[in-house]
Amino acid sequence: MEASVLVLKIFYKSLNICFSNYTDLEESNWPTLLHFGAEMGLSLFCDELIKVPGMDKFCHVTNSLDETPGQLARNRGFLKLAEKLDMLTVTQRDKR
């Protein structure tokens, strides 16, 4: 299966998971799709999300455990993904 097709399938499934019982972003472990991808270690998924215009603004959003996507990836042992997300966080901070 082509990687982009797989990413799209995961994207639609994650939308359903993230928002089916959606109440409040601050009470969610996955307030953004980047958080979902980071916790699951879905590097290709996060790569595609990062390409979406404006998605970089969500790299500093924290979840219910006060974790950014980069921190979440690091805490779950996905160090390369954490580095990638952390670089995005620094880039976004420099734009401010």
Side-chain angles (χ1 to χ4, degrees):
M1 179 179 297
E2 188 176 327
S4 59
V5 173
L6 182 59
V7 168
L8 285 175
K9 284 185 176 187
I10 294 169
F11 176 75
Y12 289 120
K13 284 184 180 181
S14 68
L15 280 177
N16 195 20
I17 291 168
C18 289
F19 300 112
S20 61
N21 294 318
Y22 179 76
T23 55
D24 188 9
L25 286 179
E26 294 163 355
E27 296 176 5
S28 173
N29 198 38
W30 301 324
T32 71
L33 291 174
L34 279 177
H35 285 82
F36 172 80
E39 182 162 3
M40 300 301 168
L42 303 173
S43 188
L44 292 175
F45 179 69
C46 290
D47 287 346
E48 293 303 313
L49 286 176
I50 290 167
K51 293 176 187 176
V52 175
M55 186 61 73
D56 58 341
K57 294 177 184 173
F58 295 110
C59 60
H60 60 85
V61 172
T62 57
N63 65 8
S64 60
L65 301 174
D66 203 33
E67 297 170 308
T68 64
Q71 292 166 334
L72 190 56
R74 181 171 288 99
N75 292 341
R76 301 307 184 276
F78 304 112
L79 302 181
K80 287 183 180 181
L81 178 56
E83 288 177 25
K84 187 185 316 183
L85 293 169
D86 288 344
M87 286 191 323
L88 187 61
T89 302
V90 169
T91 303
Q92 176 61 26
R93 195 176 356 182
D94 291 345
K95 289 181 182 179
R96 293 182 188 173

PDB file of all heavy atoms in Angstrom, residues 23 51 87:
ATOM      1  N   THR A  23     -14.977  16.856  24.037  1.00  0.00           N
ATOM      2  CA  THR A  23     -15.614  17.800  24.948  1.00  0.00           C
ATOM      3  C   THR A  23     -14.829  19.102  25.009  1.00  0.00           C
ATOM      4  O   THR A  23     -15.351  20.152  24.691  1.00  0.00           O
ATOM      5  CB  THR A  23     -15.738  17.214  26.367  1.00  0.00           C
ATOM      6  OG1 THR A  23     -14.444  16.797  26.810  1.00  0.00           O
ATOM      7  CG2 THR A  23     -16.694  16.045  26.390  1.00  0.00           C
ATOM      8  N   LYS A  51       2.871  19.384   6.772  1.00  0.00           N
ATOM      9  CA  LYS A  51       2.768  20.044   5.461  1.00  0.00           C
ATOM     10  C   LYS A  51       1.500  20.895   5.331  1.00  0.00           C
ATOM     11  O   LYS A  51       1.426  21.740   4.452  1.00  0.00           O
ATOM     12  CB  LYS A  51       2.775  18.992   4.345  1.00  0.00           C
ATOM     13  CG  LYS A  51       4.081  18.253   4.219  1.00  0.00           C
ATOM     14  CD  LYS A  51       3.971  17.173   3.158  1.00  0.00           C
ATOM     15  CE  LYS A  51       5.199  16.302   3.106  1.00  0.00           C
ATOM     16  NZ  LYS A  51       5.044  15.200   2.138  1.00  0.00           N
ATOM     17  N   MET A  87      11.941  20.760  16.555  1.00  0.00           N
ATOM     18  CA  MET A  87      12.468  21.738  15.591  1.00  0.00           C
ATOM     19  C   MET A  87      11.338  22.614  15.053  1.00  0.00           C
ATOM     20  O   MET A  87      11.507  23.811  14.865  1.00  0.00           O
ATOM     21  CB  MET A  87      13.200  21.038  14.449  1.00  0.00           C
ATOM     22  CG  MET A  87      14.541  20.492  14.854  1.00  0.00           C
ATOM     23  SD  MET A  87      15.606  19.911  13.496  1.00  0.00           S
ATOM     24  CE  MET A  87      14.498  19.184  12.344  1.00  0.00           C
TER      25      MET A  87
END
